[in-house]
Amino acid sequence: MRVGIAVQERRVAAALLRPDGSHSMLVDAVMGAGIERSIDRLLGRIAQSADAVSSIAFDLSGVLHRTEGAPLALVRIAPRPPVALADEPRAGDAPILHVRGGHTTLGEELAPFDAEGFRVAAAGIPPGSRVVITSVGALVNPSHELAAGEILLEHGGPLNVVFSHAFDSNSFATREHTAILNDALVPAAETLATSLALVAGRRFPEARLSVTRNDGGRVPLSRLPAEPIHSAFSGAPMEFLGAAALCRLDDGDLVLATEEGLTLGTLRAGAPAVIPRLRWNDARLSTQAAHLVPATEILLHGRTQAPRLVRVAGAPLPVWLDDEGAVEAEDDLRALGAACAPLSDWALGTVGAVNATEMAQELQAAEARVRGRLAAFGALPSSVRILESQLVATTYEHARVVSVRVRGVAGDPVGGLLDRGVRRAAQR
């Protein structure tokens, strides 16, 4: 049995998905004892059933909070500082240290790293600061970011250092914004991952624990503390995935009607279509996210095939939307989506390739890495599906530099998970 748990500030909902395709819901209110106690009560009720639990997936987007207590400092490595310092982008009142250095898109050094100058400037960073290091060209060659991190280790007092090259984007600003928010989420992510592993481990020591992601998939819970940014906005994709499971949709468009409004998305091979950037507070974040947009009359007009419609109980519908064939949802879609979510993994990066043969080799190597990681997550190799595998030319960059994008998922497509019992009965 697969279990999906949607954690909110005031309630925790669990979806139980059995091997025969049937499912049920459990809900518990979060009281003064906290989220962990509420989850423990839910897991205790699940343990009373006769079904063995193979996996538990947590959606934590409702309780992943930013921690802003420690001071923040930004280190920007480039051949030269901005011409107009007063107009450069800032992150609140965080001090910015400009350091000479950086690389081209081929990984060649634009300017030598000013180690001595940075060592002197780093002495002024307050003890206990959170430091985000971003360098030009670090996506291809992160050596200057790593060199700056080594110098910070010499600094007195504890420092938390985040490198922007951990996030895939050719944009200096996008990598920096992503690293800043990711770092602010880490304390909450570490606490949640540890406490949930202990709670779930006591009840179901054999179950694999995972956490949902912004792309509509899930990864092992142990990966949450490193990059919580990729799970911080997973709530909407999980609701969309739960709606797709209810209406048995694997391929096509889906409109989800909730009290907040209408959302339009697309399923491809049982997983949401994705975009490589997510906009948050007027900033772009480097995270693969399900492509969900507000559904409008203009956007839906003239389609040859009307999208499927799932309506949460009590959600209003506009007069222009045809509700014929709509599926009424009374379940917690976020919990159901977590139970149905496939394991997912990405291979993203920028590489140099001289000819078509080298490009093909890079793509094959990336696919092999994705398949290997999914198998390490516990997936059967035969269940792995590569949904996206391509090389993308980097606009305005060197002709020999291309971006690799490989997306893999493992597990059954979401559209058939609730149909298993029906299919087996028909076969008999």
Side-chain angles (χ1 to χ4, degrees), residues 15 33 41 53 66 82 99 146 160 169 171 178-179 186 191 195 198 209 214 232 294 299 324 341 362 381 386 421:
R41 286 195 299 265
V53 174
R66 291 178 293 161
V99 186
L146 296 175
N160 183 46
S169 175
S171 167
T178 308
V186 165
T191 301
S195 59
L198 292 174
L209 307 181
N214 305 337
L299 194 59
E324 183 179 356
E362 292 286 355
I386 301 297

Side-chain angles (χ1 to χ4, degrees), residues 71-344:
L72 173 67
L74 305 180
V75 176
R76 293 175 177 172
I77 304 173
R80 63 173 183 267
V83 175
L85 293 177
D87 297 331
E88 68 176 314
R90 304 188 65 86
D93 296 326
I96 301 174
L97 278 67
H98 292 283
V99 186
R100 182 175 173 81
H103 293 86
T104 68
T105 54
L106 291 175
E108 300 166 348
E109 196 172 68
L110 282 170
F113 177 64
D114 184 10
E116 292 305 316
F118 179 61
R119 185 173 282 106
V120 173
I125 299 177
S129 292
R130 299 178 295 125
V131 182
V132 173
I133 304 176
T134 311
S135 176
V136 171
L139 199 60
V140 178
N141 188 339
S143 62
H144 286 180
E145 286 191 3
L146 296 175
E150 291 179 2
I151 290 174
L152 289 175
L153 292 178
E154 305 169 3
H155 188 276
L159 290 171
N160 183 46
V161 180
V162 180
F163 302 106
S164 79
H165 68 262
F167 305 99
D168 178 74
S169 175
N170 288 332
S171 167
F172 187 102
T174 298
R175 292 203 315 274
E176 184 180 79
H177 289 315
T178 308
I180 291 172
L181 181 56
N182 185 81
D183 182 59
L185 293 169
V186 165
E190 290 176 337
T191 301
L192 285 168
T194 301
S195 59
L196 293 181
L198 292 174
V199 170
R202 286 196 299 267
R203 297 287 188 179
F204 301 102
E206 301 300 321
R208 291 185 177 273
L209 307 181
S210 55
V211 63
T212 59
R213 289 202 135 189
N214 305 337
D215 63 356
R218 58 188 175 92
V219 295
L221 181 63
S222 58
R223 294 187 63 177
L224 177 66
E227 295 179 340
I229 184 66
H230 299 317
S231 295
F233 303 94
S234 63
M238 287 303 112
E239 288 179 343
F240 182 76
L241 206 62
L246 280 183
C247 67
R248 278 70 171 173
L249 181 66
D250 270 335
D251 288 278
D253 297 333
L254 171 65
V255 172
L256 173 60
T258 67
E259 294 181 354
E260 286 74 29
L262 302 177
T263 300
L264 173 66
T266 302
L267 270 291
R268 292 287 181 265
V274 298
I275 52 176
R277 302 287 179 268
L278 181 68
R279 183 171 290 279
W280 175 80
N281 283 3
D282 295 326
R284 290 188 180 275
L285 301 176
S286 178
T287 178
Q288 309 299 315
H291 189 201
L292 305 176
V293 299
T296 63
E297 183 177 8
I298 294 176
L299 194 59
L300 299 180
H301 178 73
R303 291 173 177 254
T304 56
Q305 185 175 0
R308 300 293 297 275
L309 174 62
V310 175
R311 179 185 185 185
V312 174
L317 292 179
V319 294
W320 51 263
L321 183 62
D322 183 6
D323 62 350
E324 183 179 356
V327 175
E328 296 290 332
E330 297 181 355
D331 300 323
D332 187 297
L333 294 181
R334 190 172 296 193
L336 182 59
C340 296
L343 289 167
S344 68

